[in-house]
Amino acid sequence: MTSTASSHPLGELIDLVKYPLDRPESRDYWASVMTARNQLGVDGCAVINDFVHPRGVTALNQEILSQKHTTHFSDQAMNPYFHFEHNPHFSDDHPMNTFLERSSGFIPGDSWDRYGPMSQIFRAPEMATFLAACLQISELHCYADPLAGLTSNILDPGQLFTWHFDTNDFAVTILVQQADSGGLFEYAPQIRSASNEGFHLVSKILNGSRHEVKTLDLRPGDLQIFRGRHSLHRVSRVSPESCSRHAAIYAYTEKPGVVGRVERTTQLFGRVLPEHLEAERERVRSDKLVD
Ligand SMILES: O=C(O)CCC(=O)C(=O)O
Ligand SMILES: [Fe+2]
């Protein structure tokens, strides 16, 4: 271990020996970036194993447990586009009208201590720089949404997060507590594009097809970078006898100062803040996907 790696505050959480985020000019840094780029190029998903070391995982899980009482759980069935109501323009068996259980919940952004381990990782400039390099984006900023920027996805025993597309182009996740059984991340890579909803393929998967579905074997401490806007994905049901599954979710945007929509924020967190109402008035959509 070099003294440079161990003395950086991020080293309290992230394995800077394996992944020297503090030394972006190093060979190991670029090796990690190139591996992630390759994986993202193959199917829109990169996994960086043991990114957070075991002590860091313990610190993250302690913070999640301390805030778990603030989780907003959902008990509403939803379609893959986060809609909850029947749409008469589509047939009853269409994906738009296929509503599946989502029982998981999110710990919101305003639950975290500004200086706690969750925020420390999220707000580290080294993280944004590293992720931007992996994603080949010129710069990234912390998602400014005060609730959705920094969250933890909680699946208690028996719960699942059903098939869906993300609103964001990509998501950054660290598995913090793994379920003993179930709670697996599954995805159908690039099943839709900005110009094609791929409803036929989406429908097959909602009806139980495993064709083209991949399952990740994530372990606590693994970092996942995932392009979820075009890849249908879910977290499968956590077995009733299992421990809960906890994941830290870090959201970044290409432009600074982005805040989420009122409707989605209410669905996910059960409330909005004044920032959401303000942003709603100024929002400009970047594509025409149904959501
Ligand atoms: O918990 C995870 O691994 C990802 C959950 C997810 O897909 C989401 O929050 O949109
Ligand atoms: Fe997602």
Side-chain angles (χ1 to χ4, degrees), residues 82 161 164-166 171 185 226 228 233:
F82 286 85
F161 193 154
H164 66 279
F165 294 102
D166 291 345
F185 187 89
F226 181 64
H233 58 284

Side-chain angles (χ1 to χ4, degrees), residues 183-227:
L184 298 174
F185 187 89
E186 301 176 328
Y187 66 112
Q190 314 297 334
I191 197 173
R192 75 172 180 178
S193 68
S195 57
N196 181 0
E197 289 279 1
F199 283 134
H200 181 64
L201 291 172
V202 172
S203 174
K204 282 189 168 176
I205 289 172
L206 298 183
N207 285 299
S209 167
R210 303 293 298 171
H211 187 64
E212 309 258 330
V213 173
K214 295 188 179 183
T215 302
L216 285 185
D217 181 21
L218 292 171
R219 300 295 158 95
D222 291 350
L223 175 81
Q224 179 192 0
I225 308 172
F226 181 64
R227 292 194 181 280

Side-chain angles (χ1 to χ4, degrees), residues 15-267:
D15 187 342
L16 294 180
V17 178
K18 252 193 203 142
Y19 305 109
L21 264 61
D22 55 332
R23 289 182 292 124
E25 71 294 341
S26 65
R27 257 177 58 162
D28 286 351
Y29 186 95
W30 281 99
S32 307
V33 167
M34 293 316 292
T35 304
R37 280 185 188 178
N38 287 337
Q39 291 181 14
L40 284 163
V42 171
D43 71 352
C45 182
V47 177
I48 301 174
N49 295 116
D50 302 315
F51 184 78
V52 174
H53 54 58
R55 267 187 306 116
V57 170
T58 302
L60 287 173
N61 208 30
Q62 276 172 355
E63 190 178 20
I64 288 172
L65 287 168
S66 77
Q67 294 306 314
K68 200 167 164 176
H69 63 281
T70 68
T71 308
H72 180 74
F73 284 105
S74 155
D75 53 7
Q76 251 185 313
M78 66 175 209
N79 75 10
Y81 317 100
F82 286 85
H83 301 166
F84 300 86
E85 276 162 30
H86 186 270
N87 186 327
H89 302 297
F90 297 91
S91 63
D92 285 356
D93 60 356
H94 191 277
M96 288 288 272
N97 283 324
T98 305
F99 301 94
L100 299 173
E101 173 186 339
R102 175 182 165 242
S103 40
S104 56
F106 284 119
I107 299 177
D110 58 353
S111 285
W112 312 110
D113 179 344
R114 187 79 171 75
Y115 301 100
M118 284 285 289
S119 281
Q120 214 184 319
I121 291 182
F122 180 49
R123 298 188 192 284
E126 292 88 348
M127 266 304 270
T129 303
F130 176 71
L131 294 167
C134 294
L135 286 154
Q136 295 179 269
I137 293 171
S138 58
E139 57 183 69
L140 282 178
H141 303 268
C142 291
Y143 185 22
D145 191 295
L147 298 179
L150 176 60
T151 58
S152 173
N153 188 28
I154 302 292
L155 278 80
D156 276 341
Q159 294 184 337
L160 86 161
F161 193 154
T162 195
W163 294 111
H164 66 279
F165 294 102
D166 291 345
T167 321
N168 298 346
D169 286 335
F170 64 90
V172 177
T173 307
I174 293 171
L175 186 64
V176 174
Q177 182 170 289
Q178 186 180 14
D180 305 305
S181 99
L184 298 174
F185 187 89
E186 301 176 328
Y187 66 112
Q190 314 297 334
I191 197 173
R192 75 172 180 178
S193 68
S195 57
N196 181 0
E197 289 279 1
F199 283 134
H200 181 64
L201 291 172
V202 172
S203 174
K204 282 189 168 176
I205 289 172
L206 298 183
N207 285 299
S209 167
R210 303 293 298 171
H211 187 64
E212 309 258 330
V213 173
K214 295 188 179 183
T215 302
L216 285 185
D217 181 21
L218 292 171
R219 300 295 158 95
D222 291 350
L223 175 81
Q224 179 192 0
I225 308 172
F226 181 64
R227 292 194 181 280
R229 185 95 181 108
H230 296 157
S231 296
L232 190 70
H233 58 284
R234 74 168 179 179
V235 183
S236 67
R237 191 181 299 280
V238 171
S239 301
E241 318 73 46
S242 170
C243 66
S244 304
R245 176 189 188 272
H246 302 159
I249 304 195
Y250 303 92
Y252 296 87
T253 54
E254 290 188 55
K255 292 187 189 129
V258 180
V259 169
R261 294 171 68 182
V262 163
E263 192 186 356
R264 176 70 63 95
T265 306
T266 310
Q267 287 156 7

